[in-house]
PDB file of all heavy atoms in Angstrom:
ATOM      1  N   PHE B 421     195.322 159.753 174.103  1.00  0.00           N
ATOM      2  CA  PHE B 421     195.261 158.551 174.953  1.00  0.00           C
ATOM      3  C   PHE B 421     194.541 157.437 174.231  1.00  0.00           C
ATOM      4  O   PHE B 421     193.401 157.568 173.829  1.00  0.00           O
ATOM      5  CB  PHE B 421     194.567 158.839 176.286  1.00  0.00           C
ATOM      6  CG  PHE B 421     194.552 157.636 177.184  1.00  0.00           C
ATOM      7  CD1 PHE B 421     195.644 157.344 177.981  1.00  0.00           C
ATOM      8  CD2 PHE B 421     193.454 156.782 177.214  1.00  0.00           C
ATOM      9  CE1 PHE B 421     195.646 156.215 178.773  1.00  0.00           C
ATOM     10  CE2 PHE B 421     193.471 155.654 178.007  1.00  0.00           C
ATOM     11  CZ  PHE B 421     194.560 155.378 178.796  1.00  0.00           C
ATOM     12  N   ASP B 422     195.241 156.338 174.046  1.00  0.00           N
ATOM     13  CA  ASP B 422     194.652 155.153 173.440  1.00  0.00           C
ATOM     14  C   ASP B 422     195.258 153.972 174.186  1.00  0.00           C
ATOM     15  O   ASP B 422     196.488 153.870 174.278  1.00  0.00           O
ATOM     16  CB  ASP B 422     195.005 155.115 171.946  1.00  0.00           C
ATOM     17  CG  ASP B 422     194.245 154.015 171.223  1.00  0.00           C
ATOM     18  OD1 ASP B 422     194.144 152.927 171.800  1.00  0.00           O
ATOM     19  OD2 ASP B 422     193.777 154.245 170.104  1.00  0.00           O
ATOM     20  N   VAL B 423     194.416 153.095 174.732  1.00  0.00           N
ATOM     21  CA  VAL B 423     194.947 151.977 175.520  1.00  0.00           C
ATOM     22  C   VAL B 423     195.856 151.106 174.662  1.00  0.00           C
ATOM     23  O   VAL B 423     196.848 150.558 175.135  1.00  0.00           O
ATOM     24  CB  VAL B 423     193.787 151.136 176.112  1.00  0.00           C
ATOM     25  CG1 VAL B 423     194.321 150.003 176.960  1.00  0.00           C
ATOM     26  CG2 VAL B 423     192.879 152.002 176.944  1.00  0.00           C
ATOM     27  N   ARG B 424     195.559 151.042 173.357  1.00  0.00           N
ATOM     28  CA  ARG B 424     196.371 150.214 172.459  1.00  0.00           C
ATOM     29  C   ARG B 424     197.813 150.722 172.395  1.00  0.00           C
ATOM     30  O   ARG B 424     198.730 149.963 172.158  1.00  0.00           O
ATOM     31  CB  ARG B 424     195.767 150.218 171.052  1.00  0.00           C
ATOM     32  CG  ARG B 424     194.512 149.416 170.955  1.00  0.00           C
ATOM     33  CD  ARG B 424     193.909 149.557 169.568  1.00  0.00           C
ATOM     34  NE  ARG B 424     193.392 150.896 169.327  1.00  0.00           N
ATOM     35  CZ  ARG B 424     192.926 151.306 168.161  1.00  0.00           C
ATOM     36  NH1 ARG B 424     192.903 150.491 167.148  1.00  0.00           N
ATOM     37  NH2 ARG B 424     192.432 152.520 168.023  1.00  0.00           N
ATOM     38  N   LYS B 425     197.996 152.045 172.569  1.00  0.00           N
ATOM     39  CA  LYS B 425     199.339 152.621 172.530  1.00  0.00           C
ATOM     40  C   LYS B 425     199.960 152.694 173.909  1.00  0.00           C
ATOM     41  O   LYS B 425     201.135 152.434 174.081  1.00  0.00           O
ATOM     42  CB  LYS B 425     199.265 154.050 171.961  1.00  0.00           C
ATOM     43  CG  LYS B 425     199.299 154.111 170.454  1.00  0.00           C
ATOM     44  CD  LYS B 425     200.724 154.052 169.918  1.00  0.00           C
ATOM     45  CE  LYS B 425     200.708 154.186 168.397  1.00  0.00           C
ATOM     46  NZ  LYS B 425     201.752 153.412 167.754  1.00  0.00           N
ATOM     47  N   LYS B 426     199.139 153.104 174.901  1.00  0.00           N
ATOM     48  CA  LYS B 426     199.712 153.397 176.221  1.00  0.00           C
ATOM     49  C   LYS B 426     199.942 152.134 177.045  1.00  0.00           C
ATOM     50  O   LYS B 426     200.883 152.066 177.809  1.00  0.00           O
ATOM     51  CB  LYS B 426     198.779 154.346 176.993  1.00  0.00           C
ATOM     52  CG  LYS B 426     198.531 155.666 176.304  1.00  0.00           C
ATOM     53  CD  LYS B 426     199.719 156.610 176.381  1.00  0.00           C
ATOM     54  CE  LYS B 426     199.443 157.814 175.502  1.00  0.00           C
ATOM     55  NZ  LYS B 426     200.603 158.680 175.366  1.00  0.00           N
ATOM     56  N   GLU B 427     199.024 151.161 176.945  1.00  0.00           N
ATOM     57  CA  GLU B 427     199.219 149.895 177.664  1.00  0.00           C
ATOM     58  C   GLU B 427     199.037 148.782 176.661  1.00  0.00           C
ATOM     59  O   GLU B 427     198.034 148.074 176.706  1.00  0.00           O
ATOM     60  CB  GLU B 427     198.165 149.736 178.781  1.00  0.00           C
ATOM     61  CG  GLU B 427     198.128 150.867 179.770  1.00  0.00           C
ATOM     62  CD  GLU B 427     196.848 150.858 180.602  1.00  0.00           C
ATOM     63  OE1 GLU B 427     196.053 149.905 180.515  1.00  0.00           O
ATOM     64  OE2 GLU B 427     196.645 151.829 181.334  1.00  0.00           O
ATOM     65  N   PRO B 428     199.961 148.593 175.716  1.00  0.00           N
ATOM     66  CA  PRO B 428     199.704 147.631 174.634  1.00  0.00           C
ATOM     67  C   PRO B 428     199.459 146.210 175.159  1.00  0.00           C
ATOM     68  O   PRO B 428     200.192 145.756 176.048  1.00  0.00           O
ATOM     69  CB  PRO B 428     200.970 147.714 173.783  1.00  0.00           C
ATOM     70  CG  PRO B 428     201.935 148.508 174.517  1.00  0.00           C
ATOM     71  CD  PRO B 428     201.244 149.262 175.574  1.00  0.00           C
ATOM     72  N   TYR B 429     198.435 145.603 174.638  1.00  0.00           N
ATOM     73  CA  TYR B 429     198.129 144.216 175.011  1.00  0.00           C
ATOM     74  C   TYR B 429     198.330 143.366 173.776  1.00  0.00           C
ATOM     75  O   TYR B 429     198.320 143.860 172.654  1.00  0.00           O
ATOM     76  CB  TYR B 429     196.707 144.103 175.550  1.00  0.00           C
ATOM     77  CG  TYR B 429     195.654 144.823 174.730  1.00  0.00           C
ATOM     78  CD1 TYR B 429     194.933 144.154 173.744  1.00  0.00           C
ATOM     79  CD2 TYR B 429     195.397 146.169 174.930  1.00  0.00           C
ATOM     80  CE1 TYR B 429     193.981 144.819 172.999  1.00  0.00           C
ATOM     81  CE2 TYR B 429     194.457 146.834 174.179  1.00  0.00           C
ATOM     82  CZ  TYR B 429     193.750 146.160 173.214  1.00  0.00           C
ATOM     83  OH  TYR B 429     192.834 146.802 172.470  1.00  0.00           O
ATOM     84  N   ASP B 430     198.499 142.054 174.002  1.00  0.00           N
ATOM     85  CA  ASP B 430     198.812 141.110 172.927  1.00  0.00           C
ATOM     86  C   ASP B 430     199.909 141.645 171.997  1.00  0.00           C
ATOM     87  O   ASP B 430     200.995 141.906 172.473  1.00  0.00           O
ATOM     88  CB  ASP B 430     197.532 140.725 172.161  1.00  0.00           C
ATOM     89  CG  ASP B 430     196.824 139.558 172.828  1.00  0.00           C
ATOM     90  OD1 ASP B 430     197.310 139.123 173.894  1.00  0.00           O
ATOM     91  OD2 ASP B 430     195.806 139.077 172.317  1.00  0.00           O
ATOM     92  N   VAL B 431     199.635 141.853 170.715  1.00  0.00           N
ATOM     93  CA  VAL B 431     200.748 142.209 169.819  1.00  0.00           C
ATOM     94  C   VAL B 431     200.649 143.631 169.297  1.00  0.00           C
ATOM     95  O   VAL B 431     201.285 143.965 168.320  1.00  0.00           O
ATOM     96  CB  VAL B 431     200.825 141.221 168.641  1.00  0.00           C
ATOM     97  CG1 VAL B 431     201.322 139.882 169.113  1.00  0.00           C
ATOM     98  CG2 VAL B 431     199.503 141.078 167.944  1.00  0.00           C
ATOM     99  N   TYR B 432     199.859 144.491 169.949  1.00  0.00           N
ATOM    100  CA  TYR B 432     199.693 145.837 169.425  1.00  0.00           C
ATOM    101  C   TYR B 432     200.988 146.623 169.387  1.00  0.00           C
ATOM    102  O   TYR B 432     201.139 147.524 168.567  1.00  0.00           O
ATOM    103  CB  TYR B 432     198.636 146.599 170.237  1.00  0.00           C
ATOM    104  CG  TYR B 432     197.243 146.368 169.738  1.00  0.00           C
ATOM    105  CD1 TYR B 432     196.357 145.582 170.441  1.00  0.00           C
ATOM    106  CD2 TYR B 432     196.817 146.929 168.538  1.00  0.00           C
ATOM    107  CE1 TYR B 432     195.087 145.348 169.974  1.00  0.00           C
ATOM    108  CE2 TYR B 432     195.545 146.702 168.067  1.00  0.00           C
ATOM    109  CZ  TYR B 432     194.676 145.916 168.787  1.00  0.00           C
ATOM    110  OH  TYR B 432     193.423 145.692 168.319  1.00  0.00           O
ATOM    111  N   GLU B 433     201.949 146.287 170.255  1.00  0.00           N
ATOM    112  CA  GLU B 433     203.206 147.044 170.243  1.00  0.00           C
ATOM    113  C   GLU B 433     204.026 146.772 168.985  1.00  0.00           C
ATOM    114  O   GLU B 433     204.853 147.583 168.592  1.00  0.00           O
ATOM    115  CB  GLU B 433     204.024 146.765 171.517  1.00  0.00           C
ATOM    116  CG  GLU B 433     204.220 145.295 171.774  1.00  0.00           C
ATOM    117  CD  GLU B 433     204.568 145.014 173.231  1.00  0.00           C
ATOM    118  OE1 GLU B 433     204.979 145.944 173.913  1.00  0.00           O
ATOM    119  OE2 GLU B 433     204.437 143.848 173.636  1.00  0.00           O
ATOM    120  N   ASN B 434     203.792 145.620 168.338  1.00  0.00           N
ATOM    121  CA  ASN B 434     204.545 145.311 167.104  1.00  0.00           C
ATOM    122  C   ASN B 434     203.917 145.915 165.872  1.00  0.00           C
ATOM    123  O   ASN B 434     204.469 145.843 164.796  1.00  0.00           O
ATOM    124  CB  ASN B 434     204.584 143.783 166.873  1.00  0.00           C
ATOM    125  CG  ASN B 434     205.119 143.043 168.066  1.00  0.00           C
ATOM    126  OD1 ASN B 434     205.759 143.650 168.913  1.00  0.00           O
ATOM    127  ND2 ASN B 434     204.850 141.759 168.145  1.00  0.00           N
ATOM    128  N   LEU B 435     202.703 146.449 166.013  1.00  0.00           N
ATOM    129  CA  LEU B 435     201.957 146.860 164.828  1.00  0.00           C
ATOM    130  C   LEU B 435     202.096 148.353 164.609  1.00  0.00           C
ATOM    131  O   LEU B 435     202.301 149.136 165.536  1.00  0.00           O
ATOM    132  CB  LEU B 435     200.483 146.474 164.968  1.00  0.00           C
ATOM    133  CG  LEU B 435     200.250 144.976 165.104  1.00  0.00           C
ATOM    134  CD1 LEU B 435     198.813 144.699 165.465  1.00  0.00           C
ATOM    135  CD2 LEU B 435     200.624 144.261 163.824  1.00  0.00           C
ATOM    136  N   ASP B 436     201.934 148.716 163.337  1.00  0.00           N
ATOM    137  CA  ASP B 436     202.204 150.087 162.909  1.00  0.00           C
ATOM    138  C   ASP B 436     200.882 150.831 162.788  1.00  0.00           C
ATOM    139  O   ASP B 436     200.080 150.552 161.895  1.00  0.00           O
ATOM    140  CB  ASP B 436     202.949 150.003 161.565  1.00  0.00           C
ATOM    141  CG  ASP B 436     203.014 151.334 160.868  1.00  0.00           C
ATOM    142  OD1 ASP B 436     203.214 152.334 161.581  1.00  0.00           O
ATOM    143  OD2 ASP B 436     202.854 151.364 159.648  1.00  0.00           O
ATOM    144  N   PHE B 437     200.622 151.750 163.692  1.00  0.00           N
ATOM    145  CA  PHE B 437     199.424 152.600 163.599  1.00  0.00           C
ATOM    146  C   PHE B 437     199.643 153.833 164.468  1.00  0.00           C
ATOM    147  O   PHE B 437     200.582 153.905 165.233  1.00  0.00           O
ATOM    148  CB  PHE B 437     198.162 151.844 164.052  1.00  0.00           C
ATOM    149  CG  PHE B 437     198.091 151.544 165.516  1.00  0.00           C
ATOM    150  CD1 PHE B 437     197.262 152.284 166.359  1.00  0.00           C
ATOM    151  CD2 PHE B 437     198.849 150.535 166.066  1.00  0.00           C
ATOM    152  CE1 PHE B 437     197.202 152.009 167.715  1.00  0.00           C
ATOM    153  CE2 PHE B 437     198.787 150.249 167.422  1.00  0.00           C
ATOM    154  CZ  PHE B 437     197.969 150.981 168.246  1.00  0.00           C
ATOM    155  N   GLN B 438     198.777 154.809 164.304  1.00  0.00           N
ATOM    156  CA  GLN B 438     198.921 155.989 165.149  1.00  0.00           C
ATOM    157  C   GLN B 438     197.578 156.372 165.750  1.00  0.00           C
ATOM    158  O   GLN B 438     196.526 155.947 165.275  1.00  0.00           O
ATOM    159  CB  GLN B 438     199.514 157.156 164.358  1.00  0.00           C
ATOM    160  CG  GLN B 438     198.669 157.559 163.177  1.00  0.00           C
ATOM    161  CD  GLN B 438     199.418 158.517 162.275  1.00  0.00           C
ATOM    162  OE1 GLN B 438     200.618 158.382 162.094  1.00  0.00           O
ATOM    163  NE2 GLN B 438     198.713 159.470 161.705  1.00  0.00           N
ATOM    164  N   THR B 439     197.658 157.147 166.839  1.00  0.00           N
ATOM    165  CA  THR B 439     196.438 157.574 167.508  1.00  0.00           C
ATOM    166  C   THR B 439     195.902 158.818 166.814  1.00  0.00           C
ATOM    167  O   THR B 439     196.664 159.716 166.490  1.00  0.00           O
ATOM    168  CB  THR B 439     196.740 157.917 168.973  1.00  0.00           C
ATOM    169  OG1 THR B 439     197.623 156.937 169.483  1.00  0.00           O
ATOM    170  CG2 THR B 439     195.483 157.945 169.803  1.00  0.00           C
ATOM    171  N   ILE B 440     194.600 158.859 166.595  1.00  0.00           N
ATOM    172  CA  ILE B 440     193.985 160.016 165.967  1.00  0.00           C
ATOM    173  C   ILE B 440     193.580 161.001 167.057  1.00  0.00           C
ATOM    174  O   ILE B 440     192.866 160.640 167.984  1.00  0.00           O
ATOM    175  CB  ILE B 440     192.716 159.594 165.184  1.00  0.00           C
ATOM    176  CG1 ILE B 440     193.039 158.519 164.148  1.00  0.00           C
ATOM    177  CG2 ILE B 440     192.061 160.810 164.537  1.00  0.00           C
ATOM    178  CD1 ILE B 440     193.882 158.965 163.015  1.00  0.00           C
ATOM    179  N   VAL B 441     194.085 162.217 166.960  1.00  0.00           N
ATOM    180  CA  VAL B 441     193.737 163.237 167.946  1.00  0.00           C
ATOM    181  C   VAL B 441     193.265 164.482 167.217  1.00  0.00           C
ATOM    182  O   VAL B 441     193.854 164.887 166.209  1.00  0.00           O
ATOM    183  CB  VAL B 441     194.953 163.595 168.846  1.00  0.00           C
ATOM    184  CG1 VAL B 441     194.559 164.613 169.887  1.00  0.00           C
ATOM    185  CG2 VAL B 441     195.497 162.362 169.500  1.00  0.00           C
ATOM    186  N   MET B 442     192.159 165.076 167.693  1.00  0.00           N
ATOM    187  CA  MET B 442     191.703 166.355 167.150  1.00  0.00           C
ATOM    188  C   MET B 442     191.555 167.335 168.292  1.00  0.00           C
ATOM    189  O   MET B 442     191.211 166.952 169.396  1.00  0.00           O
ATOM    190  CB  MET B 442     190.381 166.171 166.400  1.00  0.00           C
ATOM    191  CG  MET B 442     190.570 165.592 165.018  1.00  0.00           C
ATOM    192  SD  MET B 442     189.049 165.336 164.152  1.00  0.00           S
ATOM    193  CE  MET B 442     188.796 166.926 163.410  1.00  0.00           C
ATOM    194  N   LYS B 443     191.825 168.615 168.015  1.00  0.00           N
ATOM    195  CA  LYS B 443     191.888 169.584 169.102  1.00  0.00           C
ATOM    196  C   LYS B 443     190.558 170.252 169.391  1.00  0.00           C
ATOM    197  O   LYS B 443     190.343 170.769 170.474  1.00  0.00           O
ATOM    198  CB  LYS B 443     192.933 170.656 168.758  1.00  0.00           C
ATOM    199  CG  LYS B 443     194.354 170.120 168.858  1.00  0.00           C
ATOM    200  CD  LYS B 443     195.339 171.245 168.998  1.00  0.00           C
ATOM    201  CE  LYS B 443     196.745 170.734 169.182  1.00  0.00           C
ATOM    202  NZ  LYS B 443     197.214 169.925 168.043  1.00  0.00           N
ATOM    203  N   GLU B 444     189.635 170.264 168.420  1.00  0.00           N
ATOM    204  CA  GLU B 444     188.453 171.126 168.525  1.00  0.00           C
ATOM    205  C   GLU B 444     187.556 170.776 169.703  1.00  0.00           C
ATOM    206  O   GLU B 444     187.079 171.647 170.414  1.00  0.00           O
ATOM    207  CB  GLU B 444     187.643 171.083 167.228  1.00  0.00           C
ATOM    208  CG  GLU B 444     188.331 171.764 166.057  1.00  0.00           C
ATOM    209  CD  GLU B 444     189.315 170.845 165.349  1.00  0.00           C
ATOM    210  OE1 GLU B 444     189.542 169.724 165.845  1.00  0.00           O
ATOM    211  OE2 GLU B 444     189.857 171.257 164.312  1.00  0.00           O
ATOM    212  N   GLY B 445     187.276 169.498 169.892  1.00  0.00           N
ATOM    213  CA  GLY B 445     186.405 169.096 170.994  1.00  0.00           C
ATOM    214  C   GLY B 445     184.937 169.359 170.760  1.00  0.00           C
ATOM    215  O   GLY B 445     184.142 169.291 171.694  1.00  0.00           O
ATOM    216  N   ASP B 446     184.544 169.669 169.536  1.00  0.00           N
ATOM    217  CA  ASP B 446     183.123 169.894 169.257  1.00  0.00           C
ATOM    218  C   ASP B 446     182.498 168.631 168.643  1.00  0.00           C
ATOM    219  O   ASP B 446     183.167 167.611 168.485  1.00  0.00           O
ATOM    220  CB  ASP B 446     182.930 171.112 168.347  1.00  0.00           C
ATOM    221  CG  ASP B 446     183.692 171.001 167.049  1.00  0.00           C
ATOM    222  OD1 ASP B 446     184.389 169.985 166.873  1.00  0.00           O
ATOM    223  OD2 ASP B 446     183.607 171.919 166.226  1.00  0.00           O
TER     224      ASP B 446
END
Side-chain angles (χ1 to χ4, degrees):
Chain B
F421 182 83
D422 189 318
V423 182
R424 288 175 291 174
K425 275 277 183 214
K426 301 286 172 188
E427 304 164 9
Y429 46 94
D430 273 3
V431 289
Y432 273 107
E433 52 200 342
N434 306 342
L435 299 170
D436 167 40
F437 70 104
Q438 60 191 37
T439 318
I440 304 292
V441 182
M442 281 178 86
K443 288 200 177 61
E444 290 84 354
D446 56 359

